[in-house]
Amino acid sequence: MMWATVVLMSLLAPAIPWTIAQSEGIGWHFVQNGSTQLTALEAIVVSPTLLVVFDRVAGDPLQINGHQAWGAIWNTETNNVTAIDVVTDTFCATGGILSNGTMLSIGGQAVENLTSTPESPYPPEKDGRMGLRIFEPCLDPVGVNCTLFENPETHSLAEQRWYPSSLRIFDGSLMIVGGIHELTPFFNDKERSASSYEFFPKKDGGVPRPSEFLNRSLPANLFPRAFALPDGKVVMTANNQTIIYDIEEQTETILPEVPNGVRVTNPYDGAVTLLPLSPPDYIPEVLACGGSNTTDDFTNDEVNRLSSQDPASDQCSHIVLTPEGIEQGWIVETMPEGRMMAEMILMPNGQVLIINGGSTGYAAAGTVRDPVGRSNADNPVFTPLLYDPSAPLGSRMSREGLPTTDIARMYHSSVSLLPGGNIFIAGSNPGGGIRLDDPFPSEFRVEYLNPPYMTVPRPSFSNLPEKVGFNQKITLDVEIPEGLNTSSIKVSLMDLGFSSHAFHSSSRLVFLEATLSEDQKTLEITTPPNNRVYPPGLAWLYLTVDDVTSKGSQVMVGSGGTPPLPDEGVPIPLRR
């Protein structure tokens, strides 16, 4: 049997990405194509051709029903945008996809923070902080017949949440973490913090669970970085603190702090991800890069001590979540430069793309003593970085062959891997409202970052069922281009996540066991063993041969049923 994890890059090999593809194709390259007509500060893939993007009520040019739109569908094939009507304000929200494939947008901005202007005369009808917006699976490949359902009278959060995070857990529901009740100048604080967890569909009788962790991690703890672990527990990082939270027992285990005083959540945004999980043991490991080692031991009244020129942290640290790894603590590496508001994208071959943001300053807008326009950050990082977790320490990061863009992607940017295998990049708007003349203006242009495999013959597969169970063997028909080394095969099952504020909620990659037939025409794969290794719901399957990756195919993992409803969902289901 040939296992997908056996072929991860050797620990003795240098971190040189996609060498075969680079020699035969045109290599990594950016392509600009189209305009979102709003600032796409949040983005999520919802079908093979469509993303849903959200902004705020800020005067965007995109219109619907006689007023500005702050939600839209982006078609990756036509590069066209279709406005969708949203009731509540989605500014600085989160989201994810339930076990039945329904997308949920969660939280948002307070109505009282909005001012009607000639450019934006129609503020939303409802406050966004308790907003729940439901986008059911849409079969229209163009997106013009897709709709968003929202009724604040019947569907709302239990607690106001602005700047929250979310993640899909093992019963297919979404866990909603943290946030803030109302606007602050810069930091979160105990009086305004939503220091709790809740779920959709509701659990615990709809009563949020208080979180000591979210109180301890104040004040720089907005958009907590939270990931479902393969045993069903949740790892969370906020500020420089990390815990493992047991959903069923409602207990927390405190882990070592991120080293050297580095803080990685808003407004000191670093990039954090759960690294790929590999059979047979699916050992979890968390990677945290960038952020700031500036102290947070001061009040909102003293924010002018900060500068847009303060260097961001260049630290990359990772921790293995086993007893031995936790005892060892975080292992520290160094990036070529500091990064503030960068975002991490898991690539199908197991590498991590680090993209967007600046090398100095902070998140948020207009609060440091020397903002650049309204931006609290400066010195955009225009060249992405690749991190290879399978390479030896000291050689995991590479820029070899990676291109440089000319578009700054600062605060309020979004990015996502696409089913086609390339990367969607949009947004950037550190100012209040639409500002086209600022040093970092409101950005409507869409870019795609194309890896080298986009311009060479690619492997392909067919006969993937629309729905698969757990621990199920499936035989795919495969076509592998001549010249690729078939001893190097990876099959990745991925949740592409929800991009908001330098964090990719629910992002996940699980490598599958894979056996190639002798005639190299079929590939037997084994799906994840249970609903904790991969929480039930929508996934994308990619085949990588010799670092050349196929297009992804959509698949429903699990029954495709709805998560447990409140009346039947208080007992959390056992492992299956």
Side-chain angles (χ1 to χ4, degrees):
M1 174 180 287
M2 181 170 57
W3 292 59
T5 51
V6 171
V7 298
L8 291 176
M9 187 175 292
S10 167
L11 290 179
L12 300 178
I16 301 176
W18 286 283
T19 51
I20 293 176
Q22 287 181 9
S23 67
E24 297 180 1
I26 64 173
W28 289 90
H29 58 284
F30 283 103
V31 175
Q32 293 181 26
N33 203 334
S35 168
T36 53
Q37 300 181 51
L38 50 68
T39 301
L41 61 92
E42 299 155 22
I44 182 170
V45 173
V46 293
S47 83
T49 57
L50 304 177
L51 296 97
V52 173
V53 296
F54 294 107
D55 191 10
R56 63 182 295 186
V57 182
D60 289 317
L62 189 64
Q63 299 286 306
I64 187 169
N65 297 333
H67 64 84
Q68 177 216 324
W70 55 96
I73 297 169
W74 179 260
N75 187 313
T76 59
E77 290 192 343
T78 64
N79 295 303
N80 289 328
V81 66
T82 301
I84 52 178
D85 214 352
V86 185
V87 175
T88 59
D89 195 289
T90 53
F91 189 46
C92 305
T94 185
I97 294 180
L98 298 167
S99 57
N100 62 358
T102 295
M103 189 276 289
L104 195 69
S105 165
I106 303 164
Q109 179 175 233
V111 169
E112 58 260 30
N113 294 312
L114 302 174
T115 301
S116 181
T117 67
E119 294 79 20
S120 182
Y122 298 100
E125 298 174 20
K126 300 289 183 180
D127 190 305
R129 291 172 293 178
M130 297 180 75
L132 289 172
R133 308 160 199 96
I134 298 170
F135 186 93
E136 294 187 341
C138 181
L139 300 179
D140 177 5
V142 179
V144 296
N145 296 313
C146 303
T147 58
L148 186 82
F149 169 80
E150 186 176 10
N151 184 344
E153 304 303 319
T154 59
H155 293 76
S156 64
L157 292 169
E159 185 171 356
Q160 294 173 335
R161 297 185 189 274
W162 193 6
Y163 294 82
S165 294
S166 61
L167 66 151
R168 189 167 73 249
I169 62 173
F170 55 85
D171 66 355
S173 63
L174 289 179
M175 179 178 178
I176 303 157
V177 180
I180 196 167
H181 293 150
E182 59 187 69
L183 181 68
T184 72
F186 189 66
F187 283 135
N188 197 355
D189 60 42
K190 193 166 185 178
E191 289 69 34
R192 287 174 275 202
S193 178
S195 294
S196 66
Y197 318 128
E198 62 179 284
F199 301 86
F200 183 89
K202 295 183 186 299
K203 303 184 191 300
D204 309 316
V207 179
R209 299 180 179 182
S211 169
E212 286 302 315
F213 166 68
L214 291 174
N215 279 329
R216 287 197 311 270
S217 58
L218 289 166
N221 72 348
L222 297 172
F223 285 105
R225 279 47 170 167
F227 302 93
L229 294 175
D231 63 359
K233 298 174 185 177
V234 174
V235 61
M236 302 185 204
T237 297
N239 202 317
N240 63 348
Q241 300 183 35
T242 301
I243 65 165
I244 292 175
Y245 179 71
D246 189 318
I247 297 173
E248 293 156 300
E249 299 297 329
Q250 300 190 35
T251 58
E252 63 176 53
T253 301
I254 298 175
L255 302 185
E257 292 184 354
V258 178
N260 302 312
V262 172
R263 308 172 198 282
V264 295
T265 46
N266 188 282
Y268 290 175
D269 278 319
V272 184
T273 195
L274 180 71
L275 290 173
L277 299 168
S278 299
D281 298 322
Y282 305 100
I283 295 172
E285 186 171 357
V286 173
L287 176 68
C289 298
S292 177
N293 60 4
T294 299
T295 180
D296 64 352
D297 189 18
F298 59 93
T299 68
N300 279 315
D301 295 333
E302 302 172 284
V303 174
N304 62 4
R305 68 164 62 184
L306 302 179
S307 168
S308 61
Q309 305 308 307
D310 291 342
S313 173
D314 62 0
Q315 176 175 288
C316 250
S317 53
H318 61 275
I319 185 169
V320 179
L321 300 182
T322 61
E324 299 77 15
I326 292 169
E327 183 177 358
Q328 181 180 18
W330 295 83
I331 299 169
V332 175
E333 302 170 83
T334 303
M335 294 186 290
E337 71 282 300
R339 295 243 179 184
M340 173 63 57
M341 303 177 297
E343 191 160 344
M344 288 180 177
I345 298 297
L346 297 175
M347 299 299 294
N349 70 347
Q351 295 183 5
V352 182
L353 182 74
I354 305 174
I355 192 169
N356 292 353
S359 62
T360 64
Y362 305 91
T367 47
V368 299
R369 66 174 179 268
D370 56 349
V372 181
R374 289 270 300 165
S375 175
N376 281 351
D378 196 10
N379 301 298
V381 182
F382 292 109
T383 305
L385 181 68
L386 276 171
Y387 179 92
D388 185 352
S390 69
L393 288 173
S395 60
R396 293 185 172 188
M397 297 178 214
S398 174
R399 278 210 191 101
E400 181 168 343
L402 287 164
T404 298
T405 181
D406 59 357
I407 300 178
R409 301 290 182 179
M410 305 295 275
Y411 198 44
H412 296 145
S413 300
S414 64
V415 58
S416 182
L417 179 70
L418 295 175
N422 54 346
I423 295 97
F424 167 88
I425 309 162
S428 187
N429 188 12
I434 300 304
R435 294 172 178 262
L436 300 179
D437 297 324
D438 273 18
F440 302 122
S442 305
E443 185 59 70
F444 303 137
R445 289 174 291 177
V446 172
E447 286 178 292
Y448 297 98
L449 176 58
N450 291 331
Y453 54 67
M454 299 293 291
T455 57
V456 298
R458 302 167 68 180
S460 62
F461 59 89
S462 57
N463 290 341
L464 177 68
E466 292 184 1
K467 185 186 300 181
V468 299
F470 294 102
N471 200 30
Q472 178 181 346
K473 293 188 183 297
I474 297 165
T475 299
L476 304 176
D477 293 333
V478 295
E479 294 186 10
I480 299 175
E482 186 177 352
L484 295 184
N485 180 3
T486 55
S487 69
S488 176
I489 290 180
K490 303 173 190 176
V491 179
S492 47
L493 188 74
M494 301 187 67
D495 186 326
L496 302 184
F498 185 103
S499 175
S500 179
H501 291 72
F503 180 49
H504 230 69
S505 293
S506 293
S507 174
R508 195 175 198 80
L509 190 161
V510 178
F511 283 119
L512 305 184
E513 301 174 20
T515 304
L516 185 66
S517 63
E518 289 188 9
D519 62 7
Q520 300 187 0
K521 292 184 178 181
T522 63
L523 185 71
E524 184 183 80
I525 62 173
T526 304
T527 62
N530 56 60
N531 58 328
R532 302 187 180 225
V533 172
Y534 192 93
L538 192 65
W540 300 89
L541 190 81
Y542 298 85
L543 168 64
T544 299
V545 182
D546 203 14
D547 263 345
V548 180
T549 297
S550 69
K551 292 182 178 180
S553 289
Q554 181 176 311
V555 60
M556 179 62 70
V557 180
S559 69
T562 60
L565 298 174
D567 290 341
E568 61 193 50
V570 176
I572 297 180
L574 299 175
R575 186 186 307 266
R576 63 178 185 266

